[in-house]
Structure formats: structure tokens, C-alpha cells
Amino acid sequence: MPTVSYASAGVSIDKGDAAVEAIKPAIKKTTRPEVVGGIGGFAGLFALDTDKYEKPLLASSTDGVGTKLAIAQELDIHDTVGVDLVAMVVDDLVVCGAEPLFLLDYIATGQVVPERISDIAAGIADGCRYAGCALIGGEIAEHPGVMNESDYDISATGVGVVEADKVLGPDGVREGDVVVAMRSTGVHSNGFSLVRQILKVGGLGLDKAVPEFGTQRTVGEELMTPTHIYTKDCLELIAECDVHAFAHITGGGIAGNLIRALPDGLTATVDRSTWSPNPVFDVLRRTADVDLAEMERTFNMGVGMAAILPEDQVDRALALLTARHMEAWVVGRVTEGEHIVRLEGDYKSE
């Protein structure tokens, strides 16, 4: 009878070990003083400096990258989706005012290819460095017979800390507050099921060069632009300004996420005429004649993060963000009214 082994079932322990060894240098670059031990144990250890806080609250967030991975796999580009993954997690943490401390990742694949895993992990490590958090562990799972050999999915869980009396959110928002927008780098990591449908219906290939994207820049290259990580921008705003709330603009668009930062009895009015959406959104819309309301329900339309703060803090906030090379502008205001977000006017023309 033929010999049955884990390898014959499609799982290579040797390749898994090789992948872990390959990513250790990238992980090491994300370390913080609080990290205890290294990669390879059964759990990641992180020493919270309790003397630093009066009443610390731990915040946690879990997310993935979604079907943007299908485009990454088709293009065989794997070194940026890790940045997307970290952005989805840490920018949800910072919305409540929390400083991200550490992150653990999970990579599931049909077949472990050490070079591909190394590319993914390098992106995750880059994202952690941008956010200032440590990558302290994770899992690489090989799923032969369940996933195609070249397929993979990634997710991560992050943990942050915030003082109990400094938690940001709807409770702090007041009538008269101003909404400041921060520019996105493109589609980010949300709405890619609609993106893929648009490309299919409109017959637009990933290798197509589009003038709006710049010299010889293709659709695929534009879509693979990594998500901007706003964590340090937001933490600087918290340190220097009286921020009342943030809204991370992800799935659901501007209205669907800004509403989560508003208490009952207040309305946010967003003025479209204050900005032009990134060119990628116009290209997607006209490729398949997508309704504007559908675009705005699905995509960030050029706004990746929004801060809500008093009007007397706006100039300071804009100056700080400009100094950090972040395009920012006043996009709307908070007034008394029903609990809604209203988008008004027409987008600015380029």
C-alpha cells in the first residue's frame, strides 16, 4: 500500500517552517520595548506599563482585506495587501482614541509558498511599523483540498490602549462641531466585490493603462495602491487638539461611517463641493454607468478618515495635518436635527 503522510495530503511542514524563518527579520523590525520574547512560542507576550496609565482600557479590533485579495492573486502582487490589513485594524482602534500596541495575523492558503508568504508578511510588518505597533505572532495555515493552491486569505487582530476618561466617540460630539476630512489613497480595501463586477461588466482589464492614473499606470496598479494608515495622524491630532470623534471611512462610505460618530439629535452635513474624488472613482463609475448613490454607499470617494472637533480647533488641526503631508480640509458641519448624514452639492471638478 502507498505510504500516507501529511505531505501526501498536501501539507508541507518544512515549507511552513521555512516561511516562518523567512518572515522573522521583517517581524523583528516592528518590535516595541514592551514585547517579551520573540516569534515561535505558543503565545505572544506584551508587558503593559501600568504605571504609564491611570485607568487604561484595552481596545481590540479584527478585520481582513476582503476580495481585494482576488486582484492581488491575479496580478501576483502580494507585498501591499499586508499594509491594507494593518490599516483596516489599527485605524478602527485609533477611532476611539486608542494607541495600537500589538497585532497578530492569520494567513490561510491552499499551499504554502515561502516567497509569497514572505511578501505578505513583509507588508504586514511595514504596516505595523507605520502604525507604531508590534507584530507579536500569528498563524500560517495550509488548507489543501479546501482552497486552491494559489489562493489565500488574511486577517488580523489588534489590541490598543486608551485612558478611560479619554475615549472618543459620539458622546463627545456637539452642535457646531466641524468635520475635517483626510484624503484617501484610492479605493483602499472596501468595495472590491463591486469593483470586480464593474471591471467585468465594463470589460476593463487590469492591464489597461488609464490616462487619469498617470503615465502608463494600469488599472491593476491603481487598485493595488495600499490603504493609507491614519493612526499616527490621528494620535497627533489627539495630542494637540480637542478632538471629539473620528470616523474611519470604510465599507458603507462617508455617510454610513460618519453616522456612527454622531449622537442622537445631531445631523452632519457634508459638502461635496469641497473636494474632488480620486480619479479612480470617476473611472469606475463611468466604466459601468454606476449610480452615484451606489458609489457613495460603497466607496470612500476620496475621504479615508474624518475628524470631528470644535470650530476653534480647525486651523490648528489643518496646520498639523499639512505639516504631516496629509491633505485635509473642512468637509462639513454638525447641527441640531435628526440622526442622519446628508451629502449636498456637486463634487468639485478637477
Side-chain angles (χ1 to χ4, degrees):
M1 294 181 63
T3 300
V4 176
S5 66
Y6 214 6
S8 71
V11 177
S12 173
I13 294 176
D14 291 339
K15 287 184 179 180
D17 290 342
V20 171
E21 288 300 315
I23 65 179
K24 281 185 177 179
I27 294 173
K28 189 175 181 180
K29 293 178 181 178
T30 74
T31 193
R32 290 173 48 128
E34 304 97 327
V35 176
V36 179
I39 296 295
F42 288 95
L45 300 176
F46 190 95
L48 182 64
D49 183 1
T50 54
D51 292 335
K52 185 178 176 181
Y53 307 96
E54 293 183 8
K55 191 176 181 181
L57 295 180
L58 293 180
S60 60
S61 178
T62 297
D63 212 334
V65 177
T67 60
K68 184 173 185 176
L69 294 178
I71 292 177
Q73 290 158 21
E74 184 174 343
L75 294 173
D76 197 26
I77 298 174
H78 314 288
D79 59 349
T80 58
V81 291
V83 177
D84 293 311
L85 176 62
V86 176
M88 292 297 98
V89 174
V90 298
D91 284 341
D92 277 354
L93 288 175
V94 80
V95 161
C96 73
E99 174 194 359
L101 298 175
F102 61 85
L103 183 138
L104 298 101
D105 62 7
Y106 177 80
I107 304 172
T109 182
Q111 182 181 67
V112 169
V113 178
E115 296 79 11
R116 185 167 62 217
I117 297 298
S118 181
D119 283 348
I120 297 168
I124 296 173
D126 283 344
C128 286
R129 287 192 295 106
Y130 300 153
C133 67
L135 180 58
I136 65 170
E139 170 73 0
I140 301 171
E142 199 165 21
H143 292 168
V146 176
M147 302 175 71
N148 293 328
E149 289 186 356
S150 61
D151 288 348
Y152 62 85
D153 194 13
I154 58 178
S155 63
T157 296
V159 173
V161 63
V162 59
E163 288 282 9
D165 62 352
K166 295 182 179 178
V167 174
L168 303 180
D171 290 346
V173 177
R174 299 287 182 265
E175 180 185 1
D177 281 354
V178 174
V179 183
V180 171
M182 298 177 227
R183 172 70 70 175
S184 74
T185 50
V187 182
H188 283 182
S189 299
N190 302 101
F192 271 84
S193 293
L194 177 56
V195 168
R196 291 162 53 236
Q197 182 70 4
I198 289 171
L199 299 184
K200 181 180 179 180
V201 170
L204 186 61
L206 294 174
D207 60 351
K208 172 72 172 178
V210 176
E212 290 93 329
F213 299 158
T215 305
Q216 298 301 310
R217 185 168 172 83
T218 67
V219 172
E221 289 170 332
E222 181 66 26
L223 293 175
M224 289 303 297
T225 302
T227 305
H228 183 79
I229 294 176
Y230 298 91
T231 299
K232 290 187 176 180
D233 302 309
C234 293
L235 291 175
E236 285 289 327
L237 280 179
I238 293 169
E240 299 295 332
C241 304
D242 180 21
V243 179
H244 289 169
F246 289 111
H248 187 197
I249 312 302
T250 54
I254 296 170
N257 287 282
L258 191 54
I259 191 71
R260 299 162 67 183
L262 293 179
D264 289 340
L266 292 182
T267 294
T269 301
V270 173
D271 183 0
R272 295 188 187 97
S273 70
T274 59
W275 86 100
S276 297
N278 305 37
V280 66
F281 298 111
D282 183 56
V283 171
L284 290 171
R285 186 183 178 191
R286 71 170 187 255
T287 294
D289 194 24
V290 184
D291 185 72
L292 176 61
E294 186 67 17
M295 294 287 295
E296 293 180 332
R297 276 195 298 265
T298 308
F299 301 120
N300 65 63
M301 301 302 289
V303 179
M305 181 72 77
I308 304 176
L309 64 172
E311 187 165 14
D312 64 6
Q313 298 289 300
V314 170
D315 288 346
R316 190 174 186 179
L318 292 176
L320 186 151
L321 291 170
T322 299
R324 294 185 58 81
H325 308 290
M326 167 56 61
E327 182 185 351
W329 65 97
V330 172
V331 75
R333 297 183 178 273
V334 177
T335 57
E336 185 177 358
E338 57 182 317
H339 187 230
I340 61 171
V341 174
R342 184 181 296 110
L343 274 67
E344 295 183 344
D346 297 322
Y347 289 113
K348 185 189 297 184
S349 300
E350 285 288 355

